[in-house]
Amino acid sequence: MRFYENKIVQVVIAILYPIAAFVILSNGRLIGSWTIPAILAILFCFLWKDLCYLAISNVLMWLVSVPMWWLFVERMREDQGPAIFISSLPFIVLSHVFIVLIPQILIVLCKNVILKKA
């Protein structure tokens, strides 16, 4: 039995994605590059079994990471950071759909097609 066919493993992966995204993207200034977040997203694409787990992970990321970031990162700032974050949120969501979500869907679909042919 392959590890990605195990439901417990898939649930753990679905839960780890928002946590990893929050930690890495919150430390973006230290990383200084989009390479590590991009590699992380691609690796998670290969770990998800199907689009259901991909959707669960992304919804969890938005439901958990964004409020956590708002409470723990932006609220501690005394400048215009929180106001800029709220006003930029529609653009951030739209960018996420086209830059992250659609490529993730395509990678998972291609991976599943390749694995079914093999």
Side-chain angles (χ1 to χ4, degrees):
M1 184 168 173
R2 297 180 186 178
F3 75 95
Y4 58 84
E5 291 177 358
N6 187 340
K7 288 194 185 278
I8 295 172
V9 170
Q10 285 299 301
V11 170
V12 168
I13 291 169
I15 293 171
L16 282 178
Y17 180 70
I19 295 168
F22 174 75
V23 170
I24 289 177
L25 295 176
S26 293
N27 295 311
R29 292 183 182 153
L30 298 174
I31 296 171
S33 167
W34 285 99
T35 307
I36 293 174
I39 291 171
L40 176 78
I42 291 169
L43 288 175
F44 273 99
C45 288
F46 290 115
L47 294 176
W48 285 311
K49 180 180 178 184
D50 56 20
L51 294 179
C52 178
Y53 293 108
L54 170 88
I56 290 169
S57 290
N58 278 278
V59 168
L60 281 175
M61 182 180 68
W62 283 100
L63 291 177
V64 174
S65 296
V66 172
M68 284 177 52
W69 191 54
W70 169 258
L71 290 173
F72 296 118
V73 177
E74 291 298 331
R75 287 279 174 128
M76 293 178 189
R77 292 181 169 183
E78 295 186 16
D79 58 358
Q80 294 295 322
I84 293 170
F85 173 70
I86 290 297
S87 64
S88 300
L89 200 54
F91 176 72
I92 293 168
V93 171
L94 191 60
S95 297
H96 178 267
V97 168
F98 287 104
I99 296 172
V100 177
L101 188 61
I102 291 174
Q104 285 179 343
I105 290 170
L106 293 174
I107 290 171
V108 170
L109 287 174
C110 290
K111 177 198 69 124
N112 289 342
V113 167
I114 291 170
L115 287 178
K116 286 181 183 175
K117 287 184 179 180

